[in-house]
Amino acid sequence: MHFLISLALAGLSTQPVWASNDRTTSDVPPYVLEYAPLVWLHSQETYMPSDIQQQVDHTRPNVNWTTIEGVQSPLNLNNLDTLNSMGNTSVYLTSLEGIEAEPEPAWFRGIRPDAQGRTVDGTGSVIIITDRGNGTIDAFYFYFYAFNKGSKVLGMEFGDHIGDWEHNMIRFVNGEPKEIWYSQHASGQAFTYAAVEKKDKRPYAYSARGTHANYAIAGTHDHAIPGFNLPAGFLMDYTDRGILWDPVLNAYTYTYDKTTAAFKAVNSEDPVAWLDFNGRWGDDQPPNEPEIFGEAKNVGGPNGPKFKGLDRQKVCPSKSCFVLPIRTFSVKAS
């Protein structure tokens, strides 16, 4: 069984309690957990955090909607990277039931966090630590969901997909948190650590209903234009204080070497190979899927953490980066 990070006082203390195992504390600075985000899932959320291995169990690797032959069995997080030689980035972990299955498969709905904020019997979060040198550490907090429910525009739904990776990133300088990134669809927002809402040291991330985009505040969020977060519009996300999820209570933890692009598990029991998988974590966009203005109801699943800018120069994954000192809507800097 992989390592479960334990925290004091029913799982919501800011001070970590290190379990007795082969974890090397020099690889995980204590502040990476002390300042780890807490995630507010929406009160009407249907699609909860999901176990990463479960996604593999309920899918089959396809290329161009054709099942790949000769795949290792059982396929798991310790050998998922072998698919790279069988289609590389064209591989899609394709659901057995299909995205339009009726009734909807129960595994789409993930694991509801318990009263302590833990996803019992499932790991849907990943911590990846990158040492940038000169006292700068980037800590990535990834959140996985089996299904993404898209937004509605004029009564039409767009952007449903199987598999969903979202993340926060906190940049630490000499052990102090300076900036934090919130992923939102094709873009996101960056803030100073001082600006965001917290429980003690730990920032809050508000996960939007269905889409799981991460916001620094509760409320309504128009995301029609990447880099903006307006309180009204026609392409809306909704966040509130519904269900509190503490991702670090059940997380895989790794270091990432930006020079070699290699991952190393902090605990020897955590699987590593899956992080090198180059394919997609869900179905491909169905053939002949109707599109309106280039947007479809059902779209392809996302790629994994290695494609999320682990060696980014700034707290934002893009070269342009505007770090907000207050929790308001933002305009992406040019």
Side-chain angles (χ1 to χ4, degrees), residues 17-332:
V17 178
W18 298 101
S20 176
N21 55 50
D22 63 350
R23 175 180 293 278
T24 303
T25 56
S26 61
D27 286 344
V28 181
Y31 53 78
V32 169
L33 297 184
E34 291 172 14
Y35 294 92
L38 293 162
V39 179
W40 280 109
L41 303 167
H42 194 274
S43 57
Q44 298 176 2
E45 182 61 74
T46 299
Y47 305 101
M48 302 291 173
S50 300
D51 182 66
I52 302 169
Q53 175 62 50
Q54 178 183 254
Q55 198 78 1
V56 179
D57 295 340
H58 286 279
T59 60
R60 293 293 180 269
N62 279 211
V63 173
N64 294 325
W65 291 97
T66 301
T67 301
I68 301 173
E69 301 294 336
V71 173
Q72 287 192 32
S73 181
L75 192 63
N76 56 49
L77 300 183
N78 287 307
N79 60 23
L80 196 65
D81 61 332
T82 60
L83 298 177
N84 293 345
S85 64
M86 301 179 177
N88 203 23
T89 57
S90 298
V91 176
Y92 285 79
L93 298 180
T94 305
S95 60
L96 300 178
E97 302 91 342
I99 195 169
E100 296 280 10
E102 293 290 347
E104 183 180 75
W107 63 274
F108 280 15
R109 302 202 169 199
I111 304 168
R112 184 186 179 93
D114 66 13
Q116 286 72 47
R118 184 192 300 273
T119 52
V120 178
D121 297 327
T123 301
S125 61
V126 178
I127 301 171
I128 299 177
I129 303 159
T130 302
D131 187 344
R132 299 199 57 80
N134 298 318
T136 300
I137 296 285
D138 288 347
F140 293 83
Y141 307 89
F142 284 96
Y143 318 124
F144 183 70
Y145 307 84
F147 187 80
N148 177 100
K149 190 73 167 176
S151 301
K152 286 189 176 181
V153 180
L154 302 177
M156 298 178 288
E157 191 169 299
F158 296 94
D160 290 1
H161 55 83
I162 295 175
D164 192 15
W165 284 103
E166 300 291 347
H167 73 279
N168 289 117
M169 188 270 265
I170 299 178
R171 175 156 289 180
F172 295 92
V173 179
N174 297 323
E176 295 295 324
K178 297 298 183 181
E179 300 166 334
I180 180 169
W181 170 258
Y182 291 76
S183 69
Q184 300 162 1
H185 306 288
S187 185
Q189 291 181 289
F191 298 88
T192 63
Y193 169 78
V196 298
E197 185 183 0
K198 309 171 190 70
K199 176 181 174 62
D200 300 320
K201 295 180 179 180
R202 301 182 65 181
Y204 283 134
Y206 289 87
S207 177
R209 184 183 68 203
T211 73
H212 309 123
N214 292 304
Y215 294 92
I217 56 176
T220 56
H221 313 269
D222 176 62
H223 59 93
I225 303 174
F228 279 80
N229 175 18
L230 299 173
F234 68 92
L235 192 57
M236 300 300 296
D237 272 335
Y238 302 91
T239 62
D240 67 12
R241 286 194 174 203
I243 306 158
L244 187 61
W245 177 32
D246 188 346
V248 304
L249 291 179
N250 203 350
Y252 295 132
T253 308
Y254 307 91
T255 59
Y256 176 76
D257 188 318
K258 63 185 182 66
T259 301
T260 63
F263 297 94
K264 178 183 177 182
V266 168
N267 179 273
S268 61
E269 296 182 2
D270 287 355
V272 181
W274 69 274
L275 287 164
D276 287 314
F277 172 54
N278 291 333
R280 301 278 182 155
W281 287 81
D283 295 17
D284 196 354
Q285 181 168 317
N288 304 314
E289 178 76 4
E291 294 187 359
I292 300 175
F293 303 116
E295 300 293 335
K297 179 180 186 293
N298 298 313
V299 299
N303 49 27
K306 70 179 289 187
F307 294 93
K308 309 305 182 186
L310 299 180
D311 185 22
R312 62 185 70 173
Q313 295 300 308
K314 300 179 181 179
V315 70
C316 312
S318 59
K319 291 182 179 179
S320 58
C321 189
F322 188 76
V323 181
L324 288 164
I326 54 176
R327 297 191 301 269
T328 64
F329 66 89
S330 67
V331 179
K332 188 175 179 180

